[in-house]
Amino acid sequence: VEKSDATAETRRGLLALLVAFFVIYVGAEASWGNWVYSYALEANVADRAEAAYLNSAFWGMLTFGRLAVIPAASRVAPRKMLALALGGAVVAGSIGSLWHDSAFAAWLSTLLMGFSMAPVFPTMLSFAERRMTLDARITGFFFAGASAGSVATPWAIGQLMDAYGPAMMPTVVLVAVSLALLTLGVVTNYSRRMERA
């Protein structure tokens, strides 16, 4: 009985970490997609037409990236794919944050962010499925976390941009994708300990 209680507790811990990942990651994705237009205008790196193109470029690269990684998905382990994708997002966020007043940096960071973020959500679902049985209830927790992140982080960025300026958008997204990468590391170590137990 004690062992089954410990196992259930361990599974709840893994579930909490995975939900936290979805909150953080989807918040970052939604934030870049929702705020890049306003960021480009307020940072004076684009006019209205260029800002609209920049926004479209992000979603276009996200879509292209999802299609482009399909062949690699069968050859690359989900953990490695997630680490590479989130690492690319950290680089993109760093470019956008460090050179927030550069039109070239805005384009480069947006294109790289869209492409890097593309495989994260579906790959994390695959990663989670290898570590626990996904039923409707557990998947519902993932999507509830994703929904919470898609509301909370963009809202926070709006408040911070009003208070401190447009540079807050790439900076907050950089922090979020860095936290997502850190959470991936914690989830990986936690699930390895589960396998040994």
Side-chain angles (χ1 to χ4, degrees):
V1 176
E2 289 178 10
K3 187 172 182 180
S4 67
D5 287 348
T7 303
E9 187 72 29
T10 303
R11 286 193 181 127
R12 280 193 293 273
L14 180 59
L15 176 61
L17 286 168
L18 290 166
V19 169
F21 178 90
F22 282 110
V23 170
I24 296 164
Y25 166 73
V26 175
E29 181 184 298
S31 294
W32 200 283
N34 292 334
W35 281 109
V36 70
Y37 177 87
S38 298
Y39 154 75
L41 290 179
E42 291 184 28
N44 293 316
V45 295
D47 61 24
R48 288 185 180 278
E50 291 165 344
Y53 286 128
L54 190 64
N55 193 18
S56 297
F58 172 77
W59 294 112
M61 286 303 285
L62 191 79
T63 303
F64 171 74
R66 289 234 167 114
L67 295 171
V69 299
I70 289 171
S74 61
R75 294 187 206 101
V76 180
R79 182 187 55 77
K80 190 176 286 185
M81 177 84 75
L82 287 164
L84 288 170
L86 291 169
V90 168
V91 170
S94 299
I95 292 167
S97 185
L98 290 171
W99 296 284
H100 60 272
D101 54 356
S102 161
F104 177 76
W107 276 98
L108 180 61
S109 61
T110 296
L111 294 170
L112 181 58
M113 187 67 78
F115 188 81
S116 297
M117 286 183 158
V120 175
F121 193 91
T123 306
M124 183 47 99
L125 287 175
S126 175
F127 180 86
E129 190 175 34
R130 292 178 181 207
R131 281 148 183 83
M132 61 182 6
T133 303
L134 296 188
D135 56 23
R137 184 167 101 9
I138 289 172
T139 306
F141 283 126
F142 293 164
F143 280 89
S147 295
S150 72
V151 172
T153 310
W155 176 84
I157 286 176
Q159 304 307 305
L160 291 168
M161 283 177 68
D162 278 346
Y164 302 106
M168 291 283 74
M169 190 281 283
T171 302
V172 172
V173 174
L174 170 60
V175 170
V177 292
S178 299
L179 282 173
L181 186 58
L182 179 65
T183 305
L184 173 65
V186 173
V187 167
T188 301
N189 288 334
Y190 193 88
S191 59
R192 282 181 182 154
R193 283 204 323 263
M194 276 178 60
E195 288 166 7
R196 283 192 227 109

